[in-house]
Amino acid sequence: MAFYFDTPSRTFSEYLLVPGYSSADCIPANVSLKTPVVKFKKGEEPTLTMNIPLVSAVMQAVSDDRMAVALAKEGGISFIYGSQTIENQAAMVTRVKMHKAGFVVSDSNLTPENTLYDILDLKERTGHSTVAITDDGTSTGKLLGIVASRDYRVSRMDKNTKVSEFMTPIEKIVYANKNVTLKEANNIIWDNKLNSLPVLDDEGKLMYMVFRKDYDSHKENPLELHDSLKRYVVGAGINTRDYEERIPALVDAGVDILCIDSSEGYSEWQARTIAWVREKYGDTVKIGAGNVVDRDGFRFLAEAGADFIKIGIGGGSICITREQKGIGRGQATSVIDVAKARDEYFEETGIYIPICSDGGIVYDHHITLALAMGADFVMLGRYFSRFDESPTNKVNINGVYMKEYWGEGSARARNWQRYDLGGDKKLSFEEGVDSYVPYAGSLKDNVGMTLSKVRSTMCNCGALSIPELQKNAKLTLVSSTSIVEGGAHDVMLKDNRNL
Ligand code: RVP
């Protein structure tokens, strides 16, 4: 006979947090949202943590390099979508790793033989005005000079003028050697009133550039997430088909963490993919897996060696898997069940595997609920798709600005690998829709507001950290009548609030 779960599966809106004692120290400014991303042994520190518990979904409409930089600045991680060619995905990862924050591999390089026309063309393509002039025109060639906007006047100069005639030559450039720290580099920049500082190796070859504007930006973003070279942290989605080619390209590009992107992760394909990573890279390459919704799925992926495990089937805003296939489970129940399995696994083995609640976050307080139920972080698609930084078009529909948002299982994305069960290389039926979401402005403003609500609720629960919230939270189911009472009721609203 089939197995029946004793209780119905439930979603976030069916729960509320009951406040606990808040001491005088329990103020939002004292709350830390730091959270582990990869598994670690009891008593040890995880090798990758985030400063906020948010990651952006592995979706065409959500996570490209621009989103990744914006989210890393706030302390979270984007998983760059995998439903594109290996070359394009690796190029996006490279762009994030080269972007800002301290030591940057120069992305604008020419030789002295190039012309002003080439400089202008490069500036147009990269948006960067400082060009390193090296002997071979690469980012690691011997540095011969620098061209910045002040070195030329477009209106007065022939576009065929050679770079060698107007660059600032190396003899006149202030540079630093390879052992310089970021702090020292910034001091040199300030003392010499520079906009950029090249960092050279012993042979005079270019290693990095340090830009003045990056230092300013760092001061504005105290939670931003860096690797050991002060580059932004970035993730990438992979599939269980072309991983032998895709993963090496992503690793070469500098990706910090991978995630197998699949609508259903309790499968031999995922175990094979993780085993391949371990055989080739040992523990140096970190890889999350999923999605699962119960203890069995969690145990399977834990034993397969996943670094984190993602939860959720059918709860995504654009997802119609439950309708189409009749599989899935309420997101809150899935998180509660998997968190129990994670804690049990930790007791047994001393290994803590972070879990991620993926999809179905409708209101900001759902994030706090997911964390209280045991999630270490949450993955959001619809939420991030509404921001300036998402890759999609902003369109005006009947006077209201919207952004486009489509599922990976929609005909538009054609991400058949995400729904692959080893059959044909095509999407046989849709599991997602194409939609609009209300445009909401910048990521920074929205994430700031969302997290201030999370911190505030955590204080109501007497928790100053996510582990404290997970340990001490009191949750209650609510009746459907109480849910109605949870919003404004029995009054006539003066304006239509868009919550
Ligand atoms: P949401 O944040 O509710 O928009 O959900 C995003 C999640 O939905 C993704 O992280 C992914 O797990 C899932 N998804 C993506 N595409 C589709 C689909 O087409 N069905 N579902």
Side-chain angles (χ1 to χ4, degrees):
M1 190 184 139
F3 173 80
Y4 287 85
F5 288 91
D6 296 339
T7 48
S9 69
R10 303 199 180 266
T11 193
F12 294 127
S13 284
E14 294 175 83
Y15 284 89
L16 284 176
L17 281 153
V18 174
Y21 169 71
S22 328
S23 70
D25 288 341
C26 238
I27 54 168
N30 289 343
V31 171
S32 160
L33 293 175
K34 193 169 168 178
T35 196
V37 182
V38 295
K39 68 182 175 194
F40 58 96
K41 287 206 186 99
K42 196 173 185 167
E44 292 181 4
E45 288 291 310
T47 52
L48 182 60
T49 54
M50 287 188 292
N51 294 327
I52 62 170
L54 307 183
V55 300
S56 69
V58 194
M59 295 175 75
Q60 293 173 2
V62 182
S63 299
D64 67 351
D65 46 315
R66 185 161 174 231
M67 177 64 72
V69 168
L71 185 51
K73 274 188 185 167
E74 301 309 312
I77 299 179
S78 283
F79 284 88
I80 292 190
Y81 65 93
S83 50
Q84 60 177 324
T85 64
I86 295 173
E87 295 69 36
N88 287 351
Q89 191 186 20
M92 283 189 182
V93 169
T94 304
R95 286 205 287 277
V96 179
K97 298 312 284 186
M98 289 193 344
H99 193 92
K100 294 194 153 250
F103 297 91
V104 181
V105 176
S106 171
D107 72 348
S108 300
N109 312 291
L110 290 173
T111 71
E113 291 304 304
N114 286 100
T115 60
L116 176 59
Y117 176 85
D118 299 324
I119 295 273
L120 297 174
D121 180 51
L122 190 61
K123 187 176 166 194
E124 174 88 23
R125 279 187 282 128
T126 61
H128 297 157
S129 51
T130 304
V131 181
I133 308 303
T134 57
D135 58 351
D136 59 2
T138 70
S139 60
T140 51
K142 195 168 163 46
L143 188 72
L144 303 176
I146 293 279
V147 172
S149 309
R150 62 165 179 257
D151 293 316
Y152 54 84
R153 281 179 82 179
V154 181
S155 55
R156 298 274 175 93
M157 280 166 62
D158 180 350
K159 297 231 173 53
N160 293 315
T161 314
K162 283 206 171 151
V163 165
S164 54
E165 291 175 34
F166 61 92
M167 70 183 189
T168 304
I170 184 75
E171 303 78 50
K172 294 197 181 153
I173 292 174
V174 179
Y175 58 85
N177 76 31
K178 64 178 185 210
N179 297 323
V180 74
T181 65
L182 187 59
K183 195 162 174 220
E184 287 162 355
N186 284 309
N187 286 340
I188 299 173
I189 286 175
W190 280 92
D191 293 347
N192 294 281
K193 299 189 173 161
L194 307 173
N195 284 322
S196 65
L197 178 74
V199 179
L200 308 185
D201 71 8
D202 296 339
E203 293 166 25
K205 288 188 174 164
L206 182 60
M207 296 174 73
Y208 305 107
M209 301 289 286
V210 178
F211 292 97
R212 171 197 286 265
K213 62 181 171 25
D214 290 346
Y215 183 66
D216 294 341
S217 133
H218 178 63
K219 286 211 297 196
E220 279 167 29
N221 301 303
L223 293 179
E224 64 185 11
L225 204 59
H226 296 144
D227 64 15
S228 55
L229 291 176
K230 298 278 172 200
R231 302 172 307 178
Y232 287 128
V233 171
V234 62
I238 57 151
N239 63 67
T240 55
R241 283 271 189 162
D242 65 11
Y243 56 88
E244 294 188 21
E245 291 86 48
R246 193 173 289 271
I247 295 179
L250 294 169
V251 169
D252 285 349
V255 76
D256 296 277
I257 177 135
L258 302 168
C259 179
I260 308 177
D261 178 39
S262 167
S263 64
E264 205 275 284
Y266 187 3
S267 83
E268 185 177 342
W269 305 110
Q270 299 229 342
R272 283 193 200 178
T273 309
I274 298 169
W276 183 86
V277 167
R278 294 291 172 247
E279 196 175 308
K280 187 164 165 71
Y281 298 103
D283 277 335
T284 58
V285 168
K286 302 294 178 189
I287 178 165
N291 285 5
V292 297
V293 288
D294 69 354
R295 179 182 183 278
D296 294 350
F298 172 86
R299 291 295 297 207
F300 177 79
L301 292 179
E303 276 150 25
D307 284 297
F308 71 86
I309 291 173
K310 204 144 67 67
I311 309 161
I313 297 179
S317 56
I318 33 47
C319 184
I320 52 170
T321 293
R322 293 183 192 167
E323 258 171 44
Q324 293 280 63
K325 292 174 73 179
I327 60 163
R329 199 176 191 199
Q331 189 64 12
T333 305
S334 305
V335 172
I336 294 166
D337 219 14
V338 172
K340 247 188 226 149
R342 187 266 319 277
D343 293 347
E344 180 187 295
Y345 188 82
F346 182 54
E347 278 292 304
E348 264 174 53
T349 63
I351 297 170
Y352 185 91
I353 305 179
I355 53 175
C356 167
S357 172
D358 174 16
I361 298 290
V362 180
Y363 299 110
D364 291 336
H365 76 265
H366 288 172
I367 298 172
T368 326
L369 285 169
L371 298 172
M373 288 168 182
D376 296 282
F377 53 100
V378 296
M379 176 173 270
L380 307 99
R382 187 195 59 86
Y383 177 84
F384 286 112
S385 71
R386 301 170 304 145
F387 304 154
D388 288 320
E389 293 82 354
S390 80
T392 72
N393 291 327
K394 182 170 141 194
V395 286
N396 191 317
I397 309 282
N398 299 330
V400 181
Y401 279 111
M402 299 278 181
K403 293 271 289 189
E404 293 184 297
Y405 179 46
W406 60 93
E408 288 295 297
S410 67
R412 180 164 182 181
R414 299 200 171 280
N415 182 359
W416 61 268
Q417 292 95 334
R418 186 170 198 273
Y419 301 89
D420 180 30
L421 292 169
D424 281 351
K425 293 186 174 185
K426 67 176 174 36
L427 203 61
S428 18
F429 53 90
E430 286 184 272
E431 292 194 41
V433 298
D434 191 356
S435 70
Y436 293 119
V437 288
Y439 165 68
S442 79
L443 178 143
K444 188 178 180 61
D445 290 349
N446 282 278
V447 166
M449 176 58 74
T450 296
L451 294 180
S452 73
K453 291 186 204 169
V454 172
R455 290 191 181 93
S456 170
T457 309
M458 285 173 66
C459 288
N460 295 134
C461 297
L464 287 175
S465 68
I466 293 172
E468 268 178 43
L469 179 70
Q470 291 167 337
K471 194 157 154 253
N472 300 330
K474 293 185 286 183
L475 289 136
T476 181
L477 270 170
V478 283
S479 68
S480 43
T481 329
S482 322
I483 293 174
V484 173
E485 208 180 70
H489 61 95
D490 301 307
V491 292
M492 279 177 66
L493 290 181
K494 288 189 179 168
D495 60 356
N496 273 333
R497 283 189 312 153
N498 195 355
L499 288 176

